[in-house]
């Protein structure tokens, strides 16, 4: 990455969440606790699925991949943020910044795509139950996961490559708590039209592809559920999708709130950044609470035919 550095800066200064010294230690302890809980939740989910033979199904295979992606995504951002809470100079080198940008883009794109794959899996499980084991075979599931990570790899590579071409010669203070696309582009003194075009194209493709897949899957799911005569059957079918629907809504809702506001409204001040972080934190805590509940009771396993 260093070879592509056309900038005159060697490091960036992150404003972080707050400049008040009296809040640094409490915030450090709080976010350390949140990170530990999130990491343990993801590792626990992966371990539970790996050790429970009745959870060796496509849905849980995708769920373990989602847990892995979430663990990596939070690890890319949180440790550096925690270090900045206890150091006087909240700096990050140019190379570290580009690496963080690349990894964050890779995992966040992969996470959104994985939610779409999980929606398709629920569609097959409910609407084509008799052909579920054939349609969602191990080979198909493996290819779907590979394609998810390929989308993340292509998107992250494109964004980071274009960012490496940007010349940074303005103030190197980044109004964020990690290296993200828009805060970095604000520091550019070269043209950012290519970067903005790449962001627009890839974001439109990734968001539309994922959302259309999710919408099409759930329209078919709801139509099939309404045909079920049994109240218990309808309730059971809805219960398999409720946590996923909640996760999708909050994930894309928070992303839209963060990135799709007009520039005159979205200033990325500390209060707003803090709100975004809380939003994602409570999203994952709520989501995994529900999923642990279903894993413990193995309710999803009943939807799938016997081998």
């Amino acid at each position: 990455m260093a070879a592509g550095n056309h900038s005159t800066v060697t490091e960036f200064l992150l404003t972080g969440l707050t400049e008040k010294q009296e809040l640094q230690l409490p915030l450090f302890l709080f976010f350390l606790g949140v990170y530990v809980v999130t990491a343990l939740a993801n590792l626990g989910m992966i371990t539970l699925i790996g050790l429970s033979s009745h959870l060796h199904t496509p849905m849980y295979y995708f769920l373990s991949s989602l847990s892995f992606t979430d663990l990596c995504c939070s690890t890319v951002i949180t440790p550096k943020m925690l270090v900045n809470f206890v150091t006087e100079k909240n700096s990050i080198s140019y190379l570290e910044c580009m690496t963080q940008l690349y990894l964050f883009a890779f995992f966040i794109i992969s996470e959104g795509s994985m939610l779409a794959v999980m929606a398709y899996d629920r569609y097959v499980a409910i609407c084509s139950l008799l052909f579920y084991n054939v349609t969602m075979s191990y080979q198909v599931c493996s290819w779907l996961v590979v394609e998810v990570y390929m989308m993340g790899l292509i998107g992250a590579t494109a964004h980071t490559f274009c960012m490496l071409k940007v010349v940074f010669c303005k103030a190197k203070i980044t109004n964020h708590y990690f290296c993200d696309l828009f805060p970095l582009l604000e520091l550019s003194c070269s043209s950012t039209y290519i970067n903005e075009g790449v962001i627009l194209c890839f974001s439109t493709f990734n968001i539309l592809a994922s959302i259309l897949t999710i919408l099409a899957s759930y329209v078919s799911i709801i139509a099939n559920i309404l045909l079920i005569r049994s109240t218990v059957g309808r309730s059971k079918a809805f219960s398999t999708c409720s946590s996923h629907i909640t996760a999708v809504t909050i994930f894309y809702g928070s992303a839209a709130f963060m990135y799709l506001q007009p520039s005159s409204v979205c200033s990325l001040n500390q209060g707003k950044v803090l709100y975004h972080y809380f939003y994602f934190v409570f999203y994952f805590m709520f989501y995994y609470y529900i999923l642990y509940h279903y894993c413990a009771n193995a309710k999803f396993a009943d939807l799938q035919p016997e081998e």
Side-chain angles (χ1 to χ4, degrees), residues 87-287:
T87 56
E88 293 184 2
K89 186 179 181 181
N90 299 340
S91 62
I92 183 171
S93 70
Y94 181 89
L95 179 61
E96 290 176 334
C97 185
M98 294 299 108
T99 302
Q100 187 181 63
L101 173 66
Y102 181 87
L103 293 176
F104 174 74
F106 172 74
F107 288 117
I108 205 68
I109 293 172
S110 300
E111 195 156 353
S113 301
M114 191 68 70
L115 288 172
V117 169
M118 294 175 72
Y120 174 72
D121 171 71
R122 290 300 84 202
Y123 158 75
V124 177
I126 293 176
C127 301
S128 302
L129 181 60
L130 296 178
F131 302 99
Y132 183 82
N133 288 332
V134 176
T135 305
M136 301 302 294
S137 64
Y138 177 78
Q139 290 78 10
V140 172
C141 293
S142 299
W143 272 111
L144 286 173
V145 172
V146 170
E147 289 174 4
V148 163
Y149 288 127
M150 283 300 298
M151 291 183 66
L153 181 66
I154 294 172
T157 301
H159 290 309
T160 308
F161 177 79
C162 292
M163 189 62 71
L164 288 170
K165 299 297 182 180
V166 173
V167 177
F168 298 102
C169 53
K170 293 183 181 180
K172 56 184 180 179
I173 299 178
T174 306
N175 190 20
H176 216 335
Y177 57 92
F178 71 98
C179 290
D180 202 1
L181 290 170
F182 293 115
L184 288 176
L185 289 179
E186 291 179 358
L187 305 180
S188 171
C189 59
S190 61
S191 174
T192 59
Y193 286 122
I194 295 179
N195 299 74
E196 292 170 359
V198 169
I199 293 173
L200 178 63
C201 292
F202 277 90
S203 299
T204 301
F205 174 77
N206 289 326
I207 293 174
L208 284 181
S210 298
I211 290 181
L212 289 177
T213 300
I214 293 169
L215 288 177
S217 298
Y218 276 109
V219 166
S220 299
I221 288 173
I222 293 173
N224 277 268
I225 289 177
L226 294 177
L227 296 177
I228 300 176
R229 297 182 179 180
S230 169
T231 303
V232 176
R234 285 198 300 268
S235 176
K236 192 173 186 179
F238 272 121
S239 69
T240 66
C241 304
S242 59
S243 59
H244 181 262
I245 293 174
T246 303
V248 168
T249 301
I250 301 179
F251 180 85
Y252 284 103
S254 56
F257 182 86
M258 185 170 185
Y259 292 109
L260 299 184
Q261 293 189 72
S263 57
S264 59
V265 176
C266 186
S267 61
L268 282 178
N269 53 65
Q270 276 80 3
K272 185 172 292 184
V273 170
L274 185 61
Y275 172 78
H276 294 154
Y277 196 89
F278 272 113
Y279 209 58
F280 279 106
V281 165
F282 285 113
Y283 149 62
F284 287 119
M285 291 177 68
F286 175 73
Y287 184 43

